[in-house]
Amino acid sequence: MTLKVISAEKILFDGQASLVTLPGEAGLFTVLENHASLVSVLTAGDIVYEDASDGSRRSMHVEGGIADIDNNVVSVCIY
């Protein structure tokens, strides 16, 4: 699936991921391939993702934002 993480200033990540864990308002949740469509408010925490090319886990800290999951694209707009 495609993961896109953007801020008002720049694109922080745009690539393929095999899983993404996000800090949702109701708690952490993980998105896998073919996940149901959803929109979620994000709180301060870490976005953790597994790079689809080499399986390495990476993370980035965010202060909050919005995530949109649809058709194997996880779009995250952060504050």
Side-chain angles (χ1 to χ4, degrees):
M1 77 184 130
T2 301
L3 171 62
K4 298 178 182 185
V5 182
I6 62 169
S7 70
E9 294 85 31
K10 63 183 175 179
I11 297 171
L12 299 169
F13 183 80
D14 186 357
Q16 296 299 306
S18 53
L19 71 82
V20 181
T21 300
L22 300 160
E25 196 169 51
L28 292 174
F29 66 98
T30 299
V31 177
L32 299 171
E33 192 82 16
N34 298 318
H35 195 284
S37 297
L38 75 93
V39 175
S40 177
V41 174
L42 303 179
T43 59
D46 291 327
I47 296 174
V48 179
Y49 62 96
E50 186 173 285
D51 192 303
S53 64
D54 63 10
S56 64
R57 291 244 174 153
R58 300 184 182 144
S59 67
M60 64 181 78
H61 186 77
V62 297
E63 292 302 319
I66 298 172
D68 175 59
I69 294 94
D70 192 38
N71 291 324
N72 287 320
V73 177
V74 179
S75 301
V76 180
C77 182
I78 63 169
Y79 305 139

